[in-house]
């Protein structure tokens, strides 16, 4: 006798389904759904799983290149990096769970993205993240920062993968909805990639990993709705992670993959058993039949509804070769993990769920995904903003004082307090650690390595979504170039507000236009990613934040560049043109107290030309230090290089224009590099021949940074401003620059 409740309009609404979507379900299956079926449709048709508001726009993005093995549509993207090797990577969000329960929300975000990578047959070698928090003055911000950072470190460190890079920023727009985007990168043989497509009729479907509990039920649905005043009450929808079980799951999966037993494999992520089973069957044009009586559970009395929607962590679903079933079970038992045959593939194209002798669900499997609603939501472009005239924008502080304030500001200050809680050295292959433009991780014994970065400037995207989207990609591309890498591919995490609001949907469409344009111009295709919408609280949306994760190859890690000045007496060169663009700059926000004007325009042809020139200097070992210029402009870039190298500099010349604009403008496609004086003339001559603007600024020297017209600033004073701000804030005080 079934004990499931009757489906009512109120129950439909509670599952996040609109009345017209419910009518679509009735038409599709020809009858009212059971309670379990309603839960399945809610899981498969929510924004997080179906991409119903974004799918038509995502199709416009470039996703292919000769080196792309697998683009979007699988657990992770795969690119060929030569020598028979493949790099597998993806970025995903865990925003809402991390706001509700920061430690477990962030920890399980890391766990989920690691599973996406090793599900493909890759051994994870690095993690990165992109974090955005509310105003430092908000009463919850300090608690959220501490919990999220502890969760990322607690999971990654225990699992045994280095967290090598990231981006941490603050803005009042994230007060009620923080962003926690996690990225994982792995390596595999290019001809040994595993996919989710099930094949063969009658093959066993096997549940692997940890037991199923009641944690995380409706997690995907929660991630597809705006926060209201009851956000704290959604704590039960946050999953609980166990990194030690995940480590066992990794080793067991990789061993099982070598046995030849695996036909298809799918991580149980968002929507748990439901989405993993449906995706495997639908991709293979097969039906799936599951007997939930055989699912390993850690709680008694779990219903079919609860088991299908649970998002308990560290679980996998596989289709196995029948002849290898016993061998596969022995491997998982050896690693102390659950192994249970819970179903089989069929030729019916039906998704059939049985529990307690009853059929709890019987649905068309292809239509669960294919017939999900697809919306072309109304959208309005963001109005263009006028540029800021630097000449008529007076400097309220001296350039020296402005630099010290910027170095201590929440977005620019050192994030050492964050990344020192992550083990970035485990596995012994981190060549360039956090704190520079991009991390560099050696592949095996070298000499080749991967350059990895995450970035986005949400202020730019808010002011001009198209230019902001272009800049986010260009910045990731520059970061990779600045360490000597060849940029190859992108993963993204598109964090936006409520798509049912035309202005927010306009931000999404505009950013994707800019991202697509930049990826095409820079041969930097998008191979994986995630869309996170409804990031708003009580009607207030976040800044549009399309996070970009970039991956490139460094041919010889011994030549990788870092930002640190290496010695006194080296010439300092500026590559790229400077107009002194102050619109939406960090200087304007932190020193001027304004967030207005148009962001800097991005010329993608210039980006490519300047970047390829700089990379040529790195790989020929003529650039001794390199730093891409972004937030804070030239002055902050020089200060960061001086701090990293504990070496001062004498700046003798600046680009034309007001000094504060030349020092703090955020013009794009620019780099600062150092070189031996004997190489300067040749480099400047080659730049002129290549059509790349370049000038000598001065030379490294002494223990202070000397800017034209300013009193010298000791490097130690710069370092204290830069390094002390965040630890002081997290200790309970609020530095002046954080107010």
């Amino acid at each position: 006798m079934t004990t499931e409740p009757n489906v009512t309009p109120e129950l439909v609404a509670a599952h996040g389904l609109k009345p017209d979507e419910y009518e679509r379900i009735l038409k599709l299956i020809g009858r009212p759904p059971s309670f379990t079926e309603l839960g399945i449709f809610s899981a498969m048709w929510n924004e997080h799983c179906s991409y119903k508001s974004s799918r038509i726009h995502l199709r416009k993005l470039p996703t292919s290149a000769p080196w792309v093995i697998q683009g979007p549509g699988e657990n992770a993207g795969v690119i060929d990096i030569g020598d028979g090797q493949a790099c597998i990577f993806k970025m995903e969000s865990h925003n809402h769970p991390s706001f509700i329960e920061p430690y477990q929300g962030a920890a399980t975000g890391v766990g989920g993205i690691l599973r996406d990578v090793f599900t493909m047959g890759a051994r994870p070698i690095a993690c990165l993240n992109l974090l955005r928090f509310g105003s430092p003055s908000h009463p919850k911000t300090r608690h959220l920062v501490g919990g999220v950072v502890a969760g990322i470190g607690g999971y990654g460190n225990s699992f045994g993968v280095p967290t090598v890079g990231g981006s941490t920023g603050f803005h009042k727009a994230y007060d009620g909805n923080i962003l926690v985007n996690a990225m994982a990168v792995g390596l595999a043989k290019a001809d040994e990639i595993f996919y989710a497509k099930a094949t063969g009729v009658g093959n066993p479907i096997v549940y692997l990993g940890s037991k199923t509990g009641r944690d995380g039920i409706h997690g995907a649905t929660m991630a597809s709705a705006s926060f209201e005043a009851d956000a704290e009450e959604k704590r039960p929808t946050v999953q609980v992670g166990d990194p030690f079980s995940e480590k066992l799951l990794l080793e067991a999966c990789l061993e099982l993959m070598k046995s030849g037993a695996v036909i298809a494999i799918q991580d149980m992520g968002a929507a748990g058993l439901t989405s993993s089973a449906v995706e495997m069957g639908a991709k293979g044009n097969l039906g799936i039949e599951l007997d939930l009586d055989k699912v390993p559970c850690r709680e008694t009395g779990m219903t079919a509804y609860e088991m299908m929607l649970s998002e308990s962590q560290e679980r996998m679903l596989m289709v196995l070769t029948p002849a290898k079933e016993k061998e596969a079970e022995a491997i998982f038992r050896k690693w102390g993990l659950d192994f249970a045959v819970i179903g089989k593939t069929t030729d019916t194209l039906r998704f059939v769920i049985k529990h307690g002798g009853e059929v709890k669900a019987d649905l068309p499997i292809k239509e669960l995904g294919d017939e999900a609603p697809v919306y072309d939501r109304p959208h309005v472009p963001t109005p263009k903003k006028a540029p800021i005239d630097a000449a008529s924008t007076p400097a309220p502080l001296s350039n020296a004082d402005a630099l010290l304030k910027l170095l201590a500001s929440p977005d620019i200050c050192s994030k050492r307090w964050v990344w020192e809680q992550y083990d970035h050295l485990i596995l012994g292959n981190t060549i360039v650690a956090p704190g520079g433009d991009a991390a560099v991780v050696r592949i095996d014994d070298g000499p080749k390595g991967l350059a990895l970065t995450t970035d986005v400037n949400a202020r730019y995207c808010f002011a001009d979504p198209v230019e902001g989207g272009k800049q986010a990609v260009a910045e990731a591309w520059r970061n990779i170039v600045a360490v000597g890498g060849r940029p190859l591919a992108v993963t993204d995490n598109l964090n936006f507000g409520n798509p049912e609001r035309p202005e927010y949907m306009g931000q999404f469409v505009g950013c994707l236009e800019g991202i697509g344009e930049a990826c095409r111009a820079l041969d930097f295709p998008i191979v994986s990613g995630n869309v996170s919408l409804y990031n708003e609280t009580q009607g207030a949306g976040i800044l549009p934040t399309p996070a970009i994760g970039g991956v490139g190859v460094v041919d010889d890690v011994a030549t990788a560049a870092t930002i640190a000045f290496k010695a006194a007496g080296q010439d300092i060169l500026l590559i790229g043109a400077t107009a002194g663009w102050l619109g939406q700059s960090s200087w304007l926000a932190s020193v001027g107290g304004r967030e207005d004007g148009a962001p800097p325009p991005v010329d993608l042809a210039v980006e490519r030309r300047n970047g390829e020139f700089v990379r040529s200097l790195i790989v020929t070992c003529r650039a001794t230090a390199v730093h891409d210029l972004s937030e804070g402009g030239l002055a902050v870039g020089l200060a960061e290089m001086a701090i990293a190298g504990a070496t001062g500099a004498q700046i003798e010349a600046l680009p034309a224009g007001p000094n504060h604009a030349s020092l703090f403008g955020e013009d794009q496609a620019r780099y600062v590099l150092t070189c031996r004086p004997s190489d300067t003339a040749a480099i400047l001559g080659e730049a002129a021949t290549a059509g790349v603007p370049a000038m000598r600024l001065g030379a490294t020297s002494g223990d202070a940074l000397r800017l034209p017209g300013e009193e010298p600033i000791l490097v130690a004073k710069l370092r204290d401003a830069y390094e002390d701000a965040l630890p002081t804030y997290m200790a309970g005080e609020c530095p002046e620059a954080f107010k």
Side-chain angles (χ1 to χ4, degrees):
M1 177 73 74
T2 183
T3 57
E4 290 190 344
N6 292 323
V7 174
T8 63
E10 293 76 19
L11 203 54
V12 170
H15 280 72
L17 292 164
K18 303 285 174 63
D20 61 318
E21 292 175 338
Y22 184 64
E23 289 299 319
R24 191 184 186 100
I25 292 169
L26 295 178
K27 184 177 179 181
L28 179 64
I29 65 175
R31 57 176 171 78
S34 68
F35 181 58
T36 298
E37 289 173 333
L38 180 68
I40 289 170
F41 273 108
S42 169
M44 293 301 298
W45 285 16
N46 64 52
E47 196 73 58
H48 191 78
C49 294
S50 73
Y51 294 86
K52 57 190 176 185
S53 296
S54 58
R55 204 184 310 174
I56 63 170
H57 301 290
L58 295 175
R59 292 170 184 156
K60 304 171 187 175
L61 295 174
T63 59
S64 61
W67 52 89
V68 174
I69 295 173
Q70 175 64 54
E74 273 288 344
N75 287 295
V78 186
I79 59 172
D80 188 330
I81 56 172
D83 303 314
Q85 293 177 308
C87 177
I88 295 87
F89 60 99
K90 190 181 183 183
M91 180 159 50
E92 279 205 340
S93 60
H94 235 218
N95 303 336
H96 287 184
S98 298
F99 182 81
I100 296 168
E101 212 304 298
Y103 184 95
Q104 290 296 347
T108 51
V110 174
I113 200 64
L114 285 167
R115 285 195 305 280
D116 280 340
V117 165
F118 72 75
T119 298
M120 304 286 291
R123 180 172 290 280
I125 63 164
C127 282
L128 299 92
N129 53 69
L130 186 136
L131 312 176
R132 293 294 181 267
F133 299 100
S135 167
S137 61
H138 191 276
K140 287 197 70 169
T141 297
R142 192 178 281 109
H143 161 72
L144 291 169
V145 173
V148 165
V149 171
I152 291 170
Y155 204 101
N157 297 353
S158 301
F159 179 82
V161 64
T163 299
V164 299
S167 167
T168 303
F170 298 80
H171 194 280
K172 62 184 179 181
Y174 305 105
D175 280 351
N177 195 128
I178 64 173
L179 302 184
V180 176
N181 294 176
M183 177 176 169
V185 182
L187 290 175
K189 292 183 179 179
D191 58 354
E192 294 182 6
I193 308 298
F194 288 81
Y195 299 97
K197 179 181 176 180
T199 60
V201 175
N203 286 330
I205 297 172
V206 182
Y207 174 112
L208 307 163
S210 299
K211 289 179 168 59
T212 293
R214 290 188 170 94
D215 54 322
I217 294 173
H218 284 306
T221 303
M222 176 193 68
S224 304
S226 302
F227 273 159
E228 301 303 333
D230 63 350
E232 289 294 330
E233 298 172 14
K234 297 183 178 180
R235 192 177 301 272
T237 61
V238 178
Q239 311 94 322
V240 177
D242 180 353
F244 301 104
S245 292
E246 179 122 330
K247 173 64 172 175
L248 298 176
L249 184 62
L250 163 71
E251 300 299 341
C253 283
L254 294 183
E255 183 176 342
L256 183 57
M257 288 166 173
K258 290 180 181 177
S259 74
V262 178
I263 294 174
I265 179 169
Q266 179 71 44
D267 159 45
M268 288 194 221
L273 186 54
T274 290
S275 64
S276 56
V278 169
E279 287 176 21
M280 289 176 73
K283 285 178 179 177
N285 288 311
L286 292 171
I288 298 286
E289 184 177 304
L290 300 181
D291 182 354
L292 300 188
D293 293 339
K294 298 178 180 178
V295 171
C297 294
R298 66 169 183 262
E299 300 183 48
T300 58
M302 288 191 71
T303 64
Y305 177 94
E306 290 172 327
M307 280 188 264
M308 292 307 296
L309 297 185
S310 166
E311 293 184 10
S312 294
Q313 296 292 286
E314 293 84 45
R315 302 180 301 159
M316 295 282 195
L317 203 63
M318 287 188 185
V319 177
L320 294 182
T321 302
K324 298 268 190 177
E325 185 179 316
K326 293 299 180 185
E327 181 182 352
E329 181 173 3
I331 290 171
F332 266 74
R333 299 294 183 205
K334 179 185 77 172
W335 287 99
L337 296 165
D338 277 298
F339 177 102
V341 178
I342 65 168
K344 63 183 179 181
T345 58
T346 70
D347 61 1
T348 64
L349 286 176
R350 305 290 296 180
F351 187 47
V352 178
I353 307 300
K354 298 178 178 178
H355 186 230
E358 294 182 359
V359 173
K360 297 293 187 179
D362 186 351
L363 299 169
I365 196 166
K366 294 281 285 183
E367 287 78 358
L368 270 171
D370 294 348
E371 293 299 321
V374 176
Y375 297 125
D376 185 0
R377 297 204 184 271
H379 55 274
V380 295
T382 300
K384 292 283 187 181
K385 294 176 172 57
I388 296 288
D389 178 29
S392 61
T393 305
L397 299 176
S398 71
N399 291 327
D401 288 343
L403 175 57
L404 290 167
K405 184 168 185 176
L406 277 170
L407 289 172
S409 65
D411 283 352
I412 291 177
C413 73
S414 170
K415 303 307 185 297
R416 185 182 301 274
W417 183 92
V418 173
W419 58 258
E420 282 195 340
Q421 296 186 53
Y422 309 148
D423 189 338
H424 62 278
L425 296 175
I426 194 168
L427 302 181
N429 283 322
T430 304
I431 303 300
V432 178
D437 287 320
V440 176
V441 178
R442 182 176 55 213
I443 297 172
D444 300 327
D445 296 325
K448 194 164 58 178
L450 294 174
L452 310 169
T453 186
T454 61
D455 224 310
V456 66
N457 189 318
R459 274 201 311 272
Y460 291 0
C461 295
F462 178 76
D464 187 329
V466 177
E467 288 298 318
K470 286 162 61 176
Q471 194 276 340
V473 174
E475 170 75 3
W477 194 87
R478 281 202 305 272
N479 287 342
I480 292 169
V481 164
V483 297
R486 286 183 289 113
L488 288 180
V490 164
T491 183
D492 61 22
N493 206 132
L494 306 173
N495 306 277
F496 290 83
N498 186 341
E500 297 170 53
R501 299 177 186 268
E503 67 274 21
Y504 291 159
M505 196 65 204
Q507 293 171 351
F508 180 84
V509 173
C511 282
L512 255 66
E513 180 185 336
I515 289 169
E517 185 180 341
C519 287
R520 279 185 286 270
L522 299 172
D523 283 338
F524 207 25
I526 295 175
V527 299
S528 61
N530 173 239
V531 177
S532 176
L533 303 179
Y534 294 95
N535 287 290
E536 68 171 29
T537 302
Q538 299 185 57
I542 63 165
L543 297 180
T545 314
I548 300 295
V551 174
V553 167
V554 177
D555 293 323
D556 184 349
V557 296
T559 66
T562 66
I563 71 171
F565 287 155
K566 302 299 185 295
Q570 298 203 333
D571 280 352
I572 303 171
L573 308 185
L574 172 63
I575 306 298
T578 299
W581 197 280
L582 293 177
Q584 299 299 330
S585 66
S586 294
W587 180 89
L588 196 67
S590 295
V591 178
R594 300 161 49 188
E595 292 185 13
D596 59 349
V602 180
D603 186 322
L604 295 165
V606 171
E607 286 283 359
R608 185 160 192 157
R609 184 166 61 245
N610 293 3
E612 288 175 349
F613 176 74
V614 168
R615 183 174 175 273
S616 74
L617 300 178
I618 296 171
V619 299
T620 55
C621 299
R622 291 186 290 166
T624 54
V626 179
H627 196 3
D628 124 86
L629 295 184
S630 55
E631 290 178 282
L634 174 60
V636 166
L638 289 167
E640 289 173 338
M641 297 176 84
I643 293 166
T647 301
Q650 175 74 52
I651 304 304
E652 302 157 5
L654 289 174
N659 274 7
H660 68 287
S662 296
L663 286 168
F664 301 111
E666 296 180 5
D667 304 271
Q668 299 296 292
R670 296 188 305 158
Y671 306 77
V672 169
L673 60 86
T674 58
C675 65
R676 294 174 291 274
S678 58
D679 288 332
T680 300
I683 291 173
L684 293 176
E686 290 171 26
T689 300
V692 173
M695 66 177 289
R696 181 182 179 276
L697 298 174
T700 56
S701 67
D703 60 358
L705 178 62
R706 294 169 173 82
L707 300 173
E710 304 289 334
E711 289 295 314
I713 315 171
L714 290 173
V715 174
K717 188 174 183 179
L718 295 171
R719 184 187 62 242
D720 290 346
Y722 185 63
E723 294 286 358
D724 292 350
L726 188 56
T728 299
Y729 171 74
M730 291 307 298
E733 301 176 38
C734 197
E736 186 62 33
F738 272 54
K739 293 177 182 175

